[in-house]
Amino acid sequence: MQEFHMQLNSFRQVQDFVRLAAEQPFEIRVGNDHQNINGKDLMGMFSLDYSCPVRVRMCCTQEQYHCFLSSAKEIAV
């Protein structure tokens, strides 16, 4: 399990994140202490509280993690 935190600040960033997550062959979960949402589910992602960073957890290899992280950096500025 790989993990990082990310701050999404706009509708567009959430859409871009979901699009990137949907392209991945592994599971991506996004949430906080009280919520755990499928990162590929647009409606679920909009139910999260974005007033603080969210935790992203992925079941993937180290190489997949680094590739995803470098792509996600461009989404969440």
Side-chain angles (χ1 to χ4, degrees), residues 9-29:
N9 297 311
S10 70
F11 176 80
R12 180 62 166 189
Q13 286 181 331
V14 174
Q15 283 183 308
D16 290 345
F17 180 85
V18 170
R19 189 174 303 117
L20 177 63
E23 295 172 355
Q24 308 310 310
F26 48 84
E27 182 179 5
I28 299 174
R29 307 298 294 181

Side-chain angles (χ1 to χ4, degrees), residues 9-10 15 49-50 56 58 62 75:
N9 297 311
S10 70
Q15 283 183 308
D49 175 14
Y50 291 106
V56 180
M58 305 179 296
Q62 194 72 13
I75 295 170

Side-chain angles (χ1 to χ4, degrees), residues 2 4 11 13-14 22-23 25 40-41 45 48 54 60 64 70 76-77:
Q2 307 294 335
F4 68 96
F11 176 80
Q13 286 181 331
V14 174
E23 295 172 355
K40 300 176 184 186
D41 175 15
M45 288 291 291
L48 288 172
V54 292
C60 62
Q64 289 171 319
S70 67
V77 179

Side-chain angles (χ1 to χ4, degrees), residues 50-75:
Y50 291 106
S51 62
C52 57
V54 292
R55 181 178 51 241
V56 180
R57 291 183 175 168
M58 305 179 296
C59 291
C60 62
T61 66
Q62 194 72 13
E63 183 179 334
Q64 289 171 319
Y65 170 74
H66 288 296
C67 182
F68 184 87
L69 193 58
S70 67
S71 298
K73 271 196 239 183
E74 295 180 17
I75 295 170

